[in-house]
Amino acid sequence: MRILKKAEDVFVGTALIAATLVLFVNIVLRYFFDANTTWAEEFIRYAMIWIAFIGSSICFRRGIHVGVDLLINSVSKAGKKVLQVYINIIAVVFMIFLIKFGFDLVIFSMDTGQITPSLEIKMYWIYLAIPVGAILSIVHIITQTINLLRNYQTSLD
């Protein structure tokens, strides 16, 4: 699990740095040298897609996804844990749909042979961010749920 955590963090950090550098270089080229790279905007767009989906799994791992605390704060301590387990189950179901439809999109893109206009890479590499991010999210949600249930059992003893 530690390796997965490190890989996610390194990937997102590297992608953010790369996108920022490409954006900076493109701005300098455009405004100071009246030159422009055709691939920069496309690279940044696709990097941000991967950052968003892998970043989503990082948010699940850290428990920092946006949520509505009003309901959770209005129930007892035991009720919070039960409610959190139900929320995690719903999140896993949603992620399963993302995986299914994400893989459908990847397979469709592979069958049609779509490529990106400027970078000329296979489009399925971009679409692959959806199921990969969802799978990583499920791993973190299940891990959190197991930890929550273990803590729940020890707190009832």
Side-chain angles (χ1 to χ4, degrees):
M1 200 62 166
R2 191 174 281 158
I3 294 171
L4 179 62
K5 174 184 173 184
K6 190 70 167 172
E8 287 173 336
D9 291 342
V10 167
F11 177 82
V12 169
T14 304
L16 273 170
I17 290 169
T20 303
L21 287 174
V22 168
L23 179 62
F24 177 75
V25 168
N26 199 37
I27 289 170
V28 169
L29 286 174
R30 187 181 311 142
Y31 288 107
F32 294 111
F33 300 103
D34 202 27
N36 194 12
T37 57
T38 58
W39 57 269
E41 289 180 37
E42 192 173 291
F43 172 80
I44 294 164
R45 181 181 314 118
Y46 299 145
M48 294 306 290
I49 290 169
W50 272 92
I51 289 166
F53 282 100
I54 304 301
S56 172
S57 73
I58 291 172
C59 289
F60 275 115
R61 182 183 77 218
R62 295 183 180 175
I64 57 173
H65 258 291
V66 176
V68 180
D69 293 336
L70 180 65
L71 181 61
I72 291 177
N73 290 335
S74 66
V75 295
S76 67
K77 188 174 182 179
K80 285 180 187 181
K81 291 182 181 183
V82 171
L83 186 59
Q84 189 60 52
V85 168
Y86 285 130
I87 291 169
N88 287 355
I89 291 169
I90 292 169
V92 166
V93 169
F94 178 74
M95 291 300 151
I96 289 170
F97 281 113
L98 267 181
I99 292 168
K100 193 255 186 263
F101 292 118
F103 274 126
D104 288 349
L105 191 58
V106 168
I107 291 167
F108 174 78
S109 179
M110 290 172 91
D111 291 343
T112 60
Q114 293 176 327
I115 60 169
T116 61
S118 295
L119 294 173
E120 295 183 359
I121 59 174
K122 302 281 184 183
M123 205 58 198
Y124 66 84
W125 288 109
I126 311 307
Y127 294 139
L128 198 58
I130 299 168
V132 168
I135 289 168
L136 291 171
S137 294
I138 285 178
V139 168
H140 295 305
I141 294 167
I142 290 172
T143 302
Q144 275 190 345
T145 305
I146 290 169
N147 291 338
L148 189 66
L149 291 173
R150 282 183 182 160
N151 291 339
Y152 183 67
Q153 293 297 339
T154 58
S155 66
L156 290 177
D157 293 340

